[in-house]
Amino acid sequence: MSDNLPPCPQCSSEYTYEMNALMVCPECGHEWVPAEGSVASAGAGERVIKDAVGNVLNDGDTVTVIKALKVKGSVSGIKAGTKVRNIRLVDGVDGHDIDCRIEGFGAMQLKSSVVKKA
C-alpha cells in the first residue's frame, strides 16, 4: 500500500486505497472523497475544458466555430468562422460541454473540440 494515503475516517484502518476519485476502506467498506491536500485530490478539482487547439476555456469567453456544423431541423448549418459570445461551460451530454446562444439559431450546446478561443 502507499505510505501517503489517509486512514479511514470511520474505522481508522490504514489499508485504504484509491478507486477513481474516491478513497475506499476494505475493512468497513466506507467510501469518501479525499480532503484537499491529499494525494488523490492532487489531480482532482475543477474540471478544465480546452478548445480544439488547447486553450483553456472559461465562462463568458468568445469562441469561433472552426468547422461547418449541421443543425437538426435547420436547412442551413453553422458556418466555420461563426463567432459565439458569452459561452457557459456545462456538463453536457455526449461531449457537448459549451452552452451558448447563436444568432439565427438560438440556444444550443457545442462540443469544445469544434471551437477555438477568439
Side-chain angles (χ1 to χ4, degrees):
M1 297 281 153
S2 177
D3 308 27
N4 300 332
L5 296 177
C8 176
Q10 280 193 339
C11 70
S12 301
S13 170
E14 61 185 26
Y15 300 110
T16 59
Y17 62 92
E18 294 178 59
M19 183 171 65
N20 298 328
L22 295 175
M23 297 296 296
V24 180
C25 176
E27 292 185 0
C28 69
H30 180 62
E31 297 179 351
W32 73 97
V33 176
E36 286 297 320
S38 70
V39 174
S41 68
E46 193 171 311
R47 188 171 68 119
V48 176
I49 298 176
K50 295 184 178 184
D51 66 2
V53 293
N55 298 320
V56 176
L57 297 173
N58 297 309
D59 286 342
D61 282 346
T62 299
V63 295
T64 304
V65 177
I66 60 171
K67 72 180 214 177
L69 302 172
K70 295 179 182 176
V71 178
K72 262 187 187 176
S74 175
V75 177
S76 63
I78 299 171
K79 295 180 182 178
T82 302
K83 287 205 179 232
V84 181
R85 292 177 176 82
N86 199 20
I87 65 169
R88 233 180 36 223
L89 303 178
V90 296
D91 290 327
V93 179
D94 290 333
H96 293 82
D97 45 15
I98 297 174
D99 199 17
C100 62
R101 180 171 175 78
I102 300 177
E103 265 188 59
F105 292 96
M108 63 176 47
Q109 290 188 338
L110 298 173
K111 292 183 178 183
S112 58
S113 61
V114 298
V115 299
K116 70 176 182 177
K117 198 170 188 175

